[in-house]
Amino acid sequence: MRIYLMRYDLNLLPIFVALMEERNVTRAAERLGMTQPAMSNALSRLRAMLQDQLFIRERYGIQPTPVALELAPGIADALARLDDAILGQQDFDPATAERQFTIAPNGYVEFALVPAIVARLAEVAPGIKLRLTPYSNDLVETGVVSGMTAMVLGRITDPADNLVVQHLMDEGLECVVRSGHPEIGDAITRDQFERLRHVNVMPPGRIRAGLHQALASQDLRRAVALSVTNFFAVAEMVAVTDYCTTLPHLICRRLRHDPRLKVLAAPVDLGTFPVEMGWHVRYRHDPAHRWLRGLVADVVRGIGRGNGAGVA
């Protein structure tokens, strides 16, 4: 099936893409800054233009018809090419630019890497602002699949076809206990690790799954006494108990400065997990986005070298 674009209302094509990616009329309208009645009207015009129902209402949203599924790759590619052609002609000067980017870092990246990224921006591009949006296992919810979010930072699994993923670094794990712990000296043994009670960090994303897999691969048991949702809370929990926690190297590097805490090598090799950056394919040639991705990668490389972590 062919669409001769010059015969059609091109303004409807981004609406088609939003509906395909969101699979929900309300979310698609919010994403495009439209009212729901305006979105419903646009959908009616799309159906008339393409001579198909396109989307079928179901209990929890809408599902594309076979015709919509056939059309989607070509329409998305045409819009991406149009973006490339227009945005590739634009100049970008970070020293004078005034712009805001939305990024979605997971909890680890927000704690360990974003402060350094913000500091570099303040130094070289003071007019560039960042807005952080929550990270989620469902990348659609972060906005990166739709292109509303400039990039997602963390461990990215099962990326959508329209995302580009770049490996930034590999990160390892260490253990943390309180400085005056009655059982732990300058090292922690396997037996001690298994006897202690642990604080488990459960941020959105895959760090949690990676740690569980690493423990299982070493047949290392862990008795979890408490689960928290972010890295900001875990240090306070460990500082006032005899619990132990297992955290990424960069988090531990920050915690080494806390006299209440003691950072120790894990009793066995727990391996590493990847830190990655993902972005919508339509931004591959956008000068501003390319510059921001380069800055992020450069900052992470510098931090990784200082940490002794592997960097791609």
Side-chain angles (χ1 to χ4, degrees):
M1 178 180 295
R2 292 182 179 178
I3 301 177
Y4 295 91
L5 294 180
M6 296 305 294
R7 296 174 49 197
Y8 298 98
D9 183 353
L10 298 184
N11 293 320
L12 293 176
L13 299 187
I15 294 171
F16 174 86
V17 171
L19 289 166
M20 278 295 301
E21 293 178 349
E22 298 292 348
R23 305 295 171 93
N24 183 284
V25 174
T26 300
R27 288 202 303 267
E30 291 174 350
R31 167 176 153 182
L32 296 176
M34 301 172 62
T35 65
Q36 190 161 345
M39 176 61 73
S40 297
N41 178 265
L43 177 55
S44 296
R45 291 162 58 204
L46 268 168
R47 286 167 169 164
M49 182 176 80
L50 300 177
Q51 300 180 8
D52 186 78
Q53 187 70 7
L54 297 178
F55 300 97
I56 307 299
R57 291 190 180 276
E58 295 190 349
R59 183 177 180 183
Y60 297 109
I62 55 175
Q63 289 298 321
T65 66
V67 170
L69 290 171
E70 181 184 352
L71 292 172
I75 291 176
D77 184 64
L79 290 175
R81 288 174 181 271
L82 185 59
D83 281 343
D84 286 349
I86 295 174
L87 295 173
Q89 301 303 312
Q90 298 177 354
D91 293 327
F92 178 73
D93 180 2
T96 59
E98 298 281 341
R99 187 162 177 177
Q100 176 175 280
F101 291 93
T102 298
I103 66 173
N106 68 9
Y108 159 77
V109 172
E110 183 173 358
F111 188 96
L113 301 176
V114 168
I117 294 170
V118 171
R120 179 70 64 84
L121 285 173
E123 177 184 351
V124 302
I128 300 298
K129 300 178 177 62
L130 294 182
R131 174 182 176 271
L132 273 57
T133 192
Y135 185 93
S136 170
N137 283 334
D138 184 350
L139 292 177
V140 172
E141 294 181 5
T142 68
V144 72
V145 174
S146 67
M148 298 297 289
T149 295
M151 67 177 66
V152 62
L153 294 161
R155 188 171 185 179
I156 302 171
T157 59
D158 303 322
D161 292 340
N162 64 355
L163 292 189
V164 180
V165 177
Q166 177 182 345
H167 180 271
L168 295 175
M169 63 178 282
D170 292 310
E171 173 68 300
L173 297 161
E174 296 179 277
C175 294
V176 182
V177 297
R178 70 180 179 92
S179 294
H181 198 288
E183 297 182 49
I184 309 301
D186 294 331
I188 183 170
T189 67
R190 183 187 188 107
D191 180 65
Q192 287 172 328
F193 183 95
E194 293 188 331
R195 283 192 291 104
L196 290 176
R197 303 180 74 192
H198 290 254
V199 179
N200 184 39
V201 186
M202 301 180 64
R206 300 287 181 166
I207 293 177
R208 175 183 56 189
L211 176 57
H212 287 181
Q213 292 165 2
L215 293 172
S217 70
Q218 295 286 350
D219 193 27
L220 189 64
R221 295 185 300 275
R222 181 179 61 154
V224 176
L226 174 68
S227 292
V228 298
T229 59
N230 63 75
F231 292 103
F232 299 96
V234 64
E236 299 304 318
M237 303 299 180
V238 172
V240 297
T241 66
D242 289 335
Y243 296 162
C244 176
T245 190
T246 304
L247 298 172
H249 284 314
L250 288 181
I251 303 289
C252 291
R253 189 166 77 177
R254 298 268 295 274
L255 298 182
R256 287 181 193 276
H257 301 293
D258 189 330
R260 302 173 302 165
L261 302 172
K262 181 162 49 180
V263 178
L264 307 167
V268 298
D269 182 7
L270 294 176
T272 62
F273 63 87
V275 180
E276 298 160 315
M277 172 169 58
W279 66 91
H280 197 290
V281 67
R282 77 167 60 117
Y283 296 132
R284 56 192 165 189
H285 299 308
D286 179 305
H289 283 253
R290 291 178 65 181
W291 174 84
L292 180 62
R293 294 196 299 269
L295 180 140
V296 169
D298 184 61
V299 169
V300 173
R301 275 194 296 269
I303 292 175
R305 282 194 295 267
N307 185 52
V311 180

